[in-house]
Amino acid sequence: MPRWWKQTVNLFWELVLKDFRVRYRNMSLGMFWSLLNPLVMMVLLTFVFTRIFRSEVPHFPLFVLCGIVPFNFFSLSWLTGTAALVDNARLIKRVAIPRMLVPFSTVVGNALHTLIQLGLLLAFTVGFGYTPNVHWWWLPVIWLLTILFVCGLSLATSALNVLIRDMRYLVESTNLVLFWLVPIFYPFSAIPPDLRDVYQFNPVAALVLAMRQILMENTSPAASLLWKLTLVSLVSVAVGGLLFRRLERRFYEYL
Amino acid sequence: MSISSSQGIALPLIEFENVTKSFPLHSGQNLLRQTVQAFLRNPRGERFIALNDVSFRLTKGEGLAVVGRNGAGKSTLLTLVAGLSHPDSGRVTVRGRVGALLELGTGLHPDLTGRENLYLNAALLGFTRAETIAVEDRIVEFAELGHFIDEPLRTYSQGMTMRLAFSIAVHAQPEILIIDEVLAVGDARFQKKCQQKIMEMRNAGCTFLFVSHLGGQVQHFCQRALWLDGGKVRLDGDCETVLATYEEFLRGA
């Protein structure tokens, strides 16, 4: 392996580790806190949609958790990814590092953090009587594609955030909209048929659907969903990368 | 990046050819409203010219002191050498590994232990993992931190933090070392040790770029000096002459 590659990999992991260590070091209960949020959301949504609005969906707590975990990953990693360059301004102005690593490592750090929540989700799945099966091998595939998508998206928004600091508020609002537009607490079948194709182009929605197919229906995700997810992820990385390269030369002046 | 051509003719390690660098004049805050306002008011974007048509070259093993008053363009020059920003026009060529001591301690995190910071900082300076492991003990020993190396950085005194940062930086074995008035590290004894280390690196053929408002310590390490004034090269020559003229200018001003 060439030296620059080893340097880059080393720096990348050190940045990911830093985020991870800093996040948990000052919490007495450490990882427990990252489980609390999805659990509270699960209980709340289950209460509202089984006691107040009567949902027909079986195993509602598991169903809703399949939506919360991917959505939490997406919203948090996109938001922190967007703020990554501005938050690390001192670093970027003082050390000559490949700057793409900064949003990348933030997103991947969040993905590691999500592994804990994913563990919780799998435990619930087994608790509800489902058994691990061969379709579970699709889980890493769809998650990697989604991580790639968020990386591309964060490249674009983090670079824009350097030039226009309002970007993060736009991201926050978009996350709020997505909470409703991703089928978290309603099933895909409740979406009007003419909108379903559009929904599948949203990688977060696609991830939620695929999670439910794998964990609750014991099937592989549909081929059409997979290629749409792949396409959107690749386009997002390509566009994000190009935009980042274009704006990168101006970072020093604007940070 | 190769350091010299195969014919044995040493190419300069740092080469500035008619370099001009300007910064946009803006309020510092980049909210959407201000961006739009600035564009409407000033569509061509007035800019502050930090470096104006600067040319110089530095060959292997040379030590160059960059002097000048505040705002003369010294820091801008350093950021260009370090590859942190890009010139508007002209060309900057840097051949070799740059180690920049622009601000000692950048990237250190108070909640991480000294050793964790060591690994992170080494990675930021371009170490591979294997290289870090290889010099880890020497860095800790040079920084004289003892068992504190496994304590969180927030328990360190200012001097201990700086010692760690300096120690990591000089062990990165840069071919070009940029030093921005940071030699005031730790107590007098440690400062002396740092100066010795720099001398050692200089004798081993490391190229130096020193930045200072005042002469003083730079004379030990540099044969040449470059005096910047208002973004332009006022004088480029041997260290003693340039510093004498510069100091005379300062007294007169």
Side-chain angles (χ1 to χ4, degrees), chain A residues 142-155:
Chain A
I142 54 172
W143 273 94
L144 282 178
L145 285 172
T146 311
I147 292 168
L148 201 63
F149 167 70
V150 184
C151 280
L153 202 60
S154 298
L155 279 182

Side-chain angles (χ1 to χ4, degrees), chain A residues 13 16-17 20 24 73 107-117:
Chain A
W13 278 114
V16 170
L17 269 177
F20 208 74
Y24 288 112
F73 163 69
V107 172
V108 172
N110 270 291
L112 282 183
H113 177 69
T114 300
L115 274 179
I116 305 160
Q117 299 190 5

Side-chain angles (χ1 to χ4, degrees), chain A residues 5 10 56 68 92 99 103 105 107 124 148 186 195 208:
Chain A
W5 175 252
N10 183 32
E56 302 297 313
I68 292 167
I92 285 163
R99 284 145 174 179
S105 63
V107 172
F124 261 82
L148 201 63
Y186 52 90
L195 291 177
V208 172

Side-chain angles (χ1 to χ4, degrees), chain B residues 60-104:
Chain B
K60 186 170 160 54
E62 262 191 302
L64 177 71
V66 181
V67 294
R69 288 180 297 180
N70 279 328
K74 301 187 301 285
S75 302
T76 307
L77 187 139
L78 292 194
T79 60
L80 288 168
V81 175
L84 297 166
S85 68
H86 304 269
D88 301 350
S89 65
R91 191 152 50 155
V92 174
T93 316
V94 176
R95 301 178 181 90
R97 195 135 74 103
V98 179
L101 299 187
L102 287 189
E103 212 171 280
L104 266 186

Side-chain angles (χ1 to χ4, degrees), chain B residues 72-141:
Chain B
K74 301 187 301 285
S75 302
T76 307
L77 187 139
L78 292 194
T79 60
L80 288 168
V81 175
L84 297 166
S85 68
H86 304 269
D88 301 350
S89 65
R91 191 152 50 155
V92 174
T93 316
V94 176
R95 301 178 181 90
R97 195 135 74 103
V98 179
L101 299 187
L102 287 189
E103 212 171 280
L104 266 186
T106 306
L108 294 178
H109 198 289
D111 287 336
L112 300 180
T113 68
R115 199 179 298 278
E116 286 167 345
N117 270 303
L118 189 160
Y119 273 81
L120 172 62
N121 220 250
L124 287 169
L125 292 177
F127 283 65
T128 67
R129 191 159 179 86
E131 287 165 351
T132 315
I133 293 167
V135 292
E136 184 184 348
D137 290 341
R138 263 183 284 159
I139 293 175
V140 178
E141 196 194 304

Side-chain angles (χ1 to χ4, degrees), chain A residues 17-60:
Chain A
L17 269 177
K18 182 194 89 175
D19 272 5
F20 208 74
R21 284 171 174 151
V22 169
R23 184 179 314 188
Y24 288 112
R25 191 136 304 172
N26 291 325
M27 296 183 189
S28 48
L29 292 176
M31 309 213 169
F32 172 76
W33 291 116
S34 74
L35 296 181
L36 193 68
N37 173 283
L39 281 174
V40 168
M41 287 294 283
M42 183 188 80
V43 170
L44 274 177
L45 288 171
T46 304
F47 170 72
V48 172
F49 289 99
T50 56
R51 294 302 180 83
I52 298 173
F53 303 101
R54 304 265 168 195
S55 172
E56 302 297 313
V57 177
H59 298 164
F60 197 85

